[in-house]
Amino acid sequence: KLVIGQGKAFLTIANILPSLYHRICNPVHLCFRKPDQVKRQMAEFDNFRKRTEKEKTQMFETGAKSVIEKILPVVDNFERALSMENEENQEFLKGFAMIYTNILNILEANDVKEIASLNETFDPEVHQAVLTEKSEDVESGIVIEVLQKGYKYKDKVLRPAMVKVSE
């Protein structure tokens, strides 16, 4: 009997051998398992792999969505600036227009799409009615003005369009 250590913790050959036997024989024991047990473990591992891949994809999409939501106010500001065009700032706004176009192209390449709203039937899933107005030219429930554009990311609403609806 070999004793190593002091105090209450003793490490003996008698204590080590069962642990070593289990570690050596357990992998060998796996080879002799029933085929259904092996299939079950393989299926469990495959499910684990699929679940982690799905979680990874969801985490990426959540991160992308967060970044895109932060970029949308910048897009709105570019649109406001471009709507203020006059003869004095026309040359200056050409640069803004190029940057704005680049941002829109990047958003489009990442599956961000503007929600079509003007002259469409009001849909509470994608529109937020801020104002209503009586209009004899347009039937009730039609969007007559878009106050702030709405956007979708991969068919999920990022931001609903703020609209004025006919009564």
Side-chain angles (χ1 to χ4, degrees):
K1 187 173 184 179
L2 176 66
V3 178
I4 301 173
Q6 295 179 348
K8 296 181 182 177
F10 291 102
L11 186 61
T12 65
I13 299 291
N15 291 341
I16 295 174
L17 285 180
S19 176
L20 289 175
Y21 175 79
H22 179 70
R23 287 184 184 171
I24 293 170
C25 294
N26 196 24
V28 174
H29 178 67
L30 288 175
C31 297
F32 297 107
R33 284 190 172 174
K34 295 178 184 173
D36 61 327
Q37 288 176 324
V38 173
K39 286 180 186 177
R40 190 177 315 121
Q41 282 189 334
M42 289 175 65
E44 285 177 11
F45 179 74
D46 193 43
N47 290 339
F48 170 77
R49 184 184 52 78
K50 288 176 185 176
R51 186 174 57 251
T52 55
E53 184 64 33
K54 183 178 178 182
E55 288 172 356
K56 185 175 95 174
T57 303
Q58 287 175 340
M59 287 176 63
F60 175 78
E61 287 184 6
T62 301
K65 179 182 173 191
S66 175
V67 170
I68 292 167
E69 286 174 338
K70 292 174 183 170
I71 291 174
L72 293 180
V74 175
V75 172
D76 294 337
N77 289 335
F78 270 103
E79 290 172 351
R80 283 187 206 99
L82 292 171
S83 70
M84 300 294 179
E85 185 175 352
N86 59 37
E87 288 182 25
E88 294 175 8
N89 63 9
Q90 191 173 15
E91 287 298 316
F92 181 72
L93 289 180
K94 282 183 183 178
F96 269 53
M98 291 189 313
I99 296 168
Y100 174 70
T101 303
N102 286 339
I103 292 173
L104 290 182
N105 290 339
I106 291 168
L107 290 174
E108 187 176 319
N110 287 285
D111 285 336
V112 177
K113 295 177 178 57
E114 182 182 330
I115 297 171
S117 300
L118 192 60
N119 299 324
E120 298 285 328
T121 304
F122 176 77
D123 180 0
E125 296 290 323
V126 295
H127 299 128
Q128 180 180 354
V130 180
L131 299 169
T132 58
E133 184 177 289
K134 289 189 181 211
S135 178
E136 295 177 11
D137 301 336
V138 182
E139 61 185 76
S140 179
I142 302 295
V143 175
I144 55 176
E145 185 180 346
V146 178
L147 304 172
Q148 184 181 47
K149 292 180 180 179
Y151 292 91
K152 285 185 175 185
Y153 173 61
K154 295 188 178 188
D155 297 325
K156 293 181 183 175
V157 176
L158 277 175
R159 181 177 79 185
M162 294 174 66
V163 296
K164 182 193 293 187
V165 182
S166 64
E167 287 184 15

